[in-house]
Amino acid sequence: MSTAVLTVDLGAIVSNWRDLDARTDCETAACVKADGYGLGVVEVARALAGAGARHFFVAVAEEGVLLRKALGPAPRISVFSGHMAGDTELIRGAGLVPVLNSVDQMLRHVESLPGHSFGIQLDTGMNRLGMEGAEWAAVRDIALPQNPTLVMSHLACADAPDHEMNARQLARFHEMTDGLDVPRSLSATGGILLGPEYHFDLTRPGIGLYGGIPFVDARPVVRLDVPVIQVRDVSPGETVGYANTWTARSPSRIATISAGYADGVIRAMGAKATLHAGSSSVPVVGRISMDLIGVDVTGLATEPDSLQLIGRHQSIDTVAGFADTLGYEILTSLGARYRREYTR
Ligand SMILES: *Cc1c(COP(=O)(O)O)cnc(C)c1O
């Protein structure tokens, strides 16, 4: 077997969802945009629906169409990008709920799909998506009589509990929504952990389901095992890989493994990255190539058949640290070339 194996523990995803759900008194949805954070939206969403999740969020309408096919008619599928030009047939056909972000989207929606469910996104300071105060004031009298399913906003700094932005956005959300007879949602994973005043009627965790920080109590979800193609002896003074960036100082055993930046092993991890053989850590040497990586296995007693990049000894956040990025980017970069295995 020459391709790397990405093992996704669906049981851990379900357990993380239940754990986050147990931290609130409100409904817990699931954010499965970007192919379920790179792990396979069909398998992830079916597992969560089986565990009782009834509300899913995706980024764009096309993702919602795929998800509807996987889940059937019952769950609610909301779309963060709202009702964009050209989306009307997808929204109607798949019964999606666009979260409307602007007056333009509101007009497009009520004109093209009168009576069709919608939510509303408000901007409380992140300046990314959603209506600002003046826009909301201008359309709320049109929107509210049509019974929006949800009014939501998104926190910019929820992974930093002490950041003053959290309280500021919370206060703004109250100003914009208090007194409305519409279910409210403010929090993703980070917001759930900020405490009950951030929970409202519905939370929308993503990264925590998949085992990433800021949900430090999460069960790990992903394992990535990469087969060794070849092992060679390298003498002092010899180099490994493109541009000769690594030179052996002593007699070394170098394993070449079958994955590279085309598989999401980000090239910028460079020489900071390590893998594991059992519980022993082994360092990457030389540059990460498109499909291959050199690893110094001199210290191992036996020659390994495969090395582990992500697993019990290295979380997605540890691996993210090698490249100064986030667990989110590691997950969504994991390539389509892997053989994916799902466990429960
Ligand atoms: C991605 C996203 C979420 C989920 O965020 P996590 O940090 O992954 O939990 C929730 N709401 C919105 C608007 C998002 O874009």
Side-chain angles (χ1 to χ4, degrees), residues 31 33 37 80 121 128 152-154 187-190 204-208 214 328:
C31 188
K33 62 197 182 191
Y37 286 44
F80 289 135
Q121 180 153 206
R128 192 176 69 166
M152 59 165 275
S153 188
H154 194 50
S187 287
T189 304
R204 325 176 294 269
I207 193 70
Y328 296 79

Side-chain angles (χ1 to χ4, degrees), residues 202-214:
L202 178 88
T203 63
R204 325 176 294 269
I207 193 70
L209 308 177
Y210 309 102
I213 52 172

Side-chain angles (χ1 to χ4, degrees), residues 108-126:
R108 179 180 296 129
H109 188 71
V110 298
E111 280 164 17
S112 61
L113 294 176
H116 186 109
S117 295
F118 66 94
I120 291 163
Q121 180 153 206
L122 302 177
D123 184 69
T124 50
M126 188 175 186

Side-chain angles (χ1 to χ4, degrees), residues 15-334:
S15 145
N16 291 334
W17 182 78
R18 290 203 170 113
D19 188 343
L20 289 168
D21 184 46
R23 289 165 193 248
T24 73
D25 292 327
C26 66
E27 185 182 351
T28 303
C31 188
V32 295
K33 62 197 182 191
D35 193 27
Y37 286 44
L39 302 184
V41 64
V42 171
E43 290 82 357
V44 167
R46 280 184 181 154
L48 288 168
R54 285 168 294 130
H55 193 161
F56 293 84
F57 285 87
V58 293
V60 293
E62 285 80 355
E63 294 177 341
V65 171
L66 259 175
L67 187 58
R68 179 60 75 205
K69 285 195 185 115
L71 294 181
R76 178 178 292 170
I77 300 174
S78 297
V79 181
F80 289 135
S81 63
H83 192 146
M84 295 173 65
D87 279 354
T88 302
E89 287 314 312
L90 301 181
I91 289 168
R92 188 208 328 254
L96 307 177
V97 180
V99 184
L100 305 176
N101 290 298
S102 64
V103 173
D104 280 355
Q105 288 200 346
M106 173 76 68
L107 295 175
R108 179 180 296 129
H109 188 71
V110 298
E111 280 164 17
S112 61
L113 294 176
H116 186 109
S117 295
F118 66 94
I120 291 163
Q121 180 153 206
L122 302 177
D123 184 69
T124 50
M126 188 175 186
N127 285 311
R128 192 176 69 166
L129 278 182
M131 299 183 208
E132 303 205 356
E135 263 188 302
W136 176 227
V139 296
R140 56 188 278 165
D141 292 340
I142 309 173
L144 292 174
Q146 312 198 46
N147 296 318
T149 57
L150 188 72
V151 54
M152 59 165 275
S153 188
H154 194 50
L155 297 168
C157 304
D159 56 349
D162 298 330
H163 204 296
E164 48 87 26
M165 183 70 162
N166 295 318
R168 204 166 1 126
Q169 286 192 267
L170 177 63
R172 187 84 187 108
F173 192 57
H174 275 293
E175 278 168 34
M176 293 173 92
T177 64
D178 276 356
L180 299 182
D181 190 19
V182 181
R184 294 189 281 183
S185 177
L186 180 61
S187 287
T189 304
I192 293 172
L193 304 173
L194 292 179
E197 67 272 35
Y198 287 85
H199 295 166
F200 295 92
D201 301 299
L202 178 88
T203 63
R204 325 176 294 269
I207 193 70
L209 308 177
Y210 309 102
I213 52 172
F215 186 26
V216 291
D217 299 332
R219 264 175 63 183
V221 167
V222 184
R223 217 173 70 206
L224 180 59
D225 296 291
V226 187
V228 173
I229 306 174
Q230 190 181 10
V231 182
R232 75 182 62 248
D233 287 308
V234 174
S235 303
E238 287 195 278
T239 57
V240 171
Y242 282 121
N244 292 2
T245 59
W246 185 84
T247 306
R249 299 223 166 76
S250 52
S252 301
R253 293 281 287 164
I254 301 299
T256 301
I257 63 171
S258 181
Y261 58 76
D263 303 293
V265 186
I266 297 171
R267 194 171 163 284
M269 288 180 193
K272 276 193 259 172
T274 55
L275 290 94
H276 277 79
S279 57
S280 310
S281 166
V282 285
V284 167
V285 293
R287 287 211 178 144
I288 292 172
S289 303
M290 186 183 293
D291 324 295
L292 300 167
I293 302 171
V295 184
D296 185 349
V297 296
T298 314
L300 299 181
T302 55
E303 211 161 272
D305 294 330
S306 71
L307 295 171
Q308 190 167 78
L309 181 66
I310 304 170
R312 53 195 289 235
H313 300 290
Q314 279 184 180
S315 69
I316 53 171
D317 295 297
T318 306
V319 171
F322 298 149
D324 289 323
T325 182
L326 305 173
Y328 296 79
E329 190 181 6
I330 297 298
L331 286 178
T332 55
S333 301
L334 294 175

